[in-house]
Amino acid sequence: MEAHYYQVDVNWNSERKGIMCSPELNKEAGSCIEVATPPDFPKGMPGIWSPEHLFTAAVSSCLMTTFLAIAENSKLTYTGFSCRSKGKLEQVDGKFMMSEVVLEPTVTITDEKDRERAERVLQKSEAACLISNSVKSKITMMPTILVQATNA
């Protein structure tokens, strides 16, 4: 497979915030994101996506999209996927870094017999996630499999 490129443009607009867009996405559809320094830092701004949130979101959303592909290829029947995630920012050797991302995916299946397969698909998804494989942060996954029988 040849290399793929993804363009993102960031433009400062005021204080400690800016607008992030991609020419590959439809700006008219509201795909631009306001970004700012997080409130944990001097002059940080609450309520706006920060690079730290986006880093954590990249790992979490990659797990989801990888899960969706592997689940489809594995013929896993599921009725839900969600993932809570938490990125840990700390100072290591005098530099700030995102040292860990904790992923808490929940997959909902309809039959107990699919539990082991769902767990395997989640493990494969975490191992194959290209964002997780691209960062030096520790990735910790704590999965939950829910069985929710459908009303027949």
Side-chain angles (χ1 to χ4, degrees), residues 72-91:
E72 181 180 324
N73 291 336
S74 301
K75 310 265 190 282
L76 174 67
T77 301
Y78 60 96
T79 59
F81 177 95
S82 62
C83 186
R84 292 178 52 95
S85 55
K86 185 183 293 186
K88 180 179 181 182
L89 174 72
E90 64 180 338
Q91 209 164 9

Side-chain angles (χ1 to χ4, degrees), residues 18 35 40 55 60 62 67 85 95 104 111 114 123 127 139 146:
V35 293
D40 314 302
F55 182 93
S60 183
C62 184
F67 170 84
S85 55
K95 295 181 180 181
E104 296 178 5
D111 196 322
D114 290 329
Q123 293 301 327
I139 307 297
L146 299 177

Side-chain angles (χ1 to χ4, degrees), residues 19-89:
I19 298 292
M20 181 170 58
C21 303
S22 173
E24 299 156 1
L25 305 175
N26 185 350
K27 290 181 186 177
E28 288 74 37
S31 63
C32 293
I33 299 172
E34 188 173 42
V35 293
T37 302
D40 314 302
F41 289 93
K43 298 185 181 180
M45 309 185 91
I48 300 175
W49 283 91
S50 70
E52 295 79 0
H53 287 101
L54 293 167
F55 182 93
T56 305
V59 175
S60 183
S61 60
C62 184
L63 176 69
M64 181 194 74
T65 57
T66 306
F67 170 84
L68 297 175
I70 292 174
E72 181 180 324
N73 291 336
S74 301
K75 310 265 190 282
L76 174 67
T77 301
Y78 60 96
T79 59
F81 177 95
S82 62
C83 186
R84 292 178 52 95
S85 55
K86 185 183 293 186
K88 180 179 181 182
L89 174 72

